[in-house]
Amino acid sequence: MATLLFYILGFIMLAATLLCITRRNPVHAVIYLVVSFFALAIMFYLLGAPLVAAFEVIVYAGAIMVLFLFIIMMLGLAPQETPQGPGWQRWGPLVLLSSSLMICTLMLIFQDPAAGKDIGSFYLAPQAVGEALFGRYALAVEVISFQLLFATIGAYMLGKPLPKGDEQ
């Protein structure tokens, strides 16, 4: 059962990533990337790493994707024209991938292979991760936070409208 779920999640992740790369609308691309991150998080959980799965959802599918959407909206990159064709062609793949992901999640919840077992010796507590991030790796965390701050400032400066007369 776990092997079948692994392959289904791998297919969902691959399809969502390919759709993310091929979409012209950046908002649609971000939504497909969020679906890919959720599939990866469930895969991490299936492989016995629930804390990494939680970080995947919180950090990547949550914070970073919200930052991407914020930057897309601030820069005005979303297309202004109304797309042609029926709506099911635009949202059909997303609905299919999301419903497959939901079915896999429910299957994993109801048939969790690790539910009846004790916590293994490889279990990494959130306290240990916090101590490592803000203790031994504090400098790396600060460098990354400054990179995100500079990227946000750069996106703001790029999206800022030019003053009248400097439109060259």
Side-chain angles (χ1 to χ4, degrees):
M1 185 65 169
T3 305
L4 178 66
L5 276 177
F6 182 84
Y7 285 121
I8 291 172
L9 289 170
F11 175 75
I12 291 170
M13 194 170 59
L14 183 66
T17 304
L18 287 175
L19 286 168
C20 169
I21 293 169
T22 58
R23 299 297 99 179
R24 290 181 179 230
N25 188 335
V27 176
H28 293 175
V30 167
I31 292 172
Y32 282 117
L33 193 57
V34 167
V35 170
S36 176
F37 285 152
F38 275 115
L40 182 62
I42 295 171
M43 193 177 287
F44 278 135
Y45 184 81
L46 186 66
L47 293 173
L51 188 61
V52 177
F55 286 158
E56 179 76 23
V57 170
I58 293 168
V59 174
Y60 289 103
I64 291 179
M65 288 299 109
V66 168
L67 181 66
F68 278 12
L69 284 176
F70 178 72
I71 290 171
I72 287 169
M73 286 191 263
M74 194 170 67
L75 294 178
L77 296 177
Q80 303 299 323
E81 70 270 1
T82 306
Q84 303 293 325
W88 64 268
Q89 287 182 342
R90 287 178 280 137
W91 295 106
L94 181 64
V95 170
L96 182 65
L97 289 174
S98 298
S99 61
S100 300
L101 192 61
M102 183 62 71
I103 290 170
C104 287
T105 304
L106 292 174
M107 287 172 63
L108 188 62
I109 288 172
F110 290 119
Q111 296 182 357
D112 186 9
K117 299 178 183 173
D118 292 335
I119 298 174
S121 61
F122 59 91
Y123 179 74
L124 182 63
Q127 181 181 0
V129 173
E131 287 175 1
L133 284 178
F134 296 107
R136 188 171 18 158
Y137 300 111
L139 180 63
V141 170
E142 289 302 319
V143 167
I144 290 171
S145 68
F146 274 108
Q147 284 179 335
L148 289 174
L149 176 66
F150 295 148
T152 305
I153 291 171
Y156 173 74
M157 295 305 288
L158 288 174
K160 187 176 166 184
L162 294 173
K164 303 233 182 228
D166 284 347
E167 297 179 4
Q168 293 179 350

